[in-house]
């Protein structure tokens, strides 16, 4: 399980170092392979360990190639998907097209979301966090069935 946000500098070759606490699990349980693709709604990247991505692919396989929305959804996720291997230093290379999609340069944020990571440009992450806080504080969590038990 992945959790927490880590500030990570991307080097000039587009490499980021996966935090040490995740490297062994990625190597042992997922053969050191991650799949990177674009997020459907946000300007960030999604990084899935191999076995988690295989579950996503199984769901995508069930979508139609003749229903325009489903086909577009598949194209977006699968068309951008790139296999990446952890190197001996626990780094992965973010391909240039994906770096461009998420406006990644040097300062990034790697955010654990249980079964995957999000990779954000640092200031975009901060804006998203600010917007999310505003949204959360403007809502009555107790009236939302799925969020009520989080209400303090």
């Amino acid at each position: 399980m992945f959790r927490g946000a880590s500030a990570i500098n991307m080097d000039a070759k587009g490499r980021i170092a996966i935090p040490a606490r995740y490297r062994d699990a990625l190597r042992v349980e997922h053969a050191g392979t991650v799949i990177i693709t674009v997020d459907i709604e946000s300007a960030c990247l999604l990084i899935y360990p191999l076995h988690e991505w295989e579950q996503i692919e199984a769901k995508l396989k069930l979508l139609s190639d003749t229903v325009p929305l489903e086909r577009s959804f598949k194209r977006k996720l699968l068309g951008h998907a790139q296999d990446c291997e952890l190197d001996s230093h626990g780094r992965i290379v973010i391909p240039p097209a994906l770096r461009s999609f998420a406006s990644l340069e040097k300062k990034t944020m790697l955010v654990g979301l249980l079964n995957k990571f999000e990779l954000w440009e640092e200031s975009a992450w901060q804006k998203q966090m600010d917007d999310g806080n505003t949204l959360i504080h403007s809502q009555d969590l107790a009236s939302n069935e799925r969020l009520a038990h989080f209400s303090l």
Side-chain angles (χ1 to χ4, degrees):
M1 292 294 148
F2 309 119
R3 57 177 118 5
S6 302
I8 298 176
N9 286 329
M10 180 179 295
D11 70 15
K13 296 179 181 178
R15 296 178 298 198
I16 62 165
I18 298 296
R21 66 185 179 271
Y22 303 123
R23 291 179 197 165
D24 286 342
L26 289 171
R27 284 191 176 110
V28 172
E29 298 170 26
H30 305 282
T33 301
V34 297
I35 310 302
I36 307 173
T37 191
V38 299
D39 187 84
I40 293 298
E41 296 183 11
S42 300
C44 71
L45 302 178
L46 304 177
I47 302 174
Y48 287 91
L50 179 60
H51 298 300
E52 293 291 337
W53 177 253
E54 289 170 343
Q55 293 175 35
I56 299 298
E57 282 185 333
K59 292 175 185 176
L60 290 169
K61 192 174 185 178
L62 298 174
L63 297 178
S64 173
D65 286 334
T66 59
V67 175
L69 177 60
E70 293 181 21
R71 188 172 186 182
S72 293
F73 192 87
K74 287 172 66 170
R75 281 179 176 155
K76 185 162 186 173
L77 284 179
L78 293 169
H80 288 93
Q82 299 284 323
D83 295 49
C84 296
E85 302 288 329
L86 268 73
D87 70 11
S88 60
H89 300 288
R91 299 174 301 194
I92 57 172
V93 177
I94 309 300
L98 294 177
R99 290 194 310 255
S100 177
F101 174 87
S103 301
L104 300 176
E105 292 184 16
K106 184 173 177 76
K107 294 182 179 237
T108 69
M109 293 297 295
L110 185 71
V111 183
L113 293 178
L114 301 177
N115 68 329
K116 66 181 174 284
F117 297 100
E118 288 181 343
L119 184 63
W120 289 84
E121 186 276 325
E122 186 180 59
S123 64
W125 167 251
Q126 189 56 55
K127 179 177 181 347
Q128 187 279 138
M129 288 300 296
D130 293 344
D131 292 349
N133 286 336
T134 300
L135 177 62
I136 289 167
H137 292 296
S138 71
Q139 301 295 309
D140 176 18
L141 297 183
S143 66
N144 182 312
E145 183 179 314
R146 293 169 52 117
L147 297 175
H149 60 282
F150 290 103
S151 183
L152 301 175

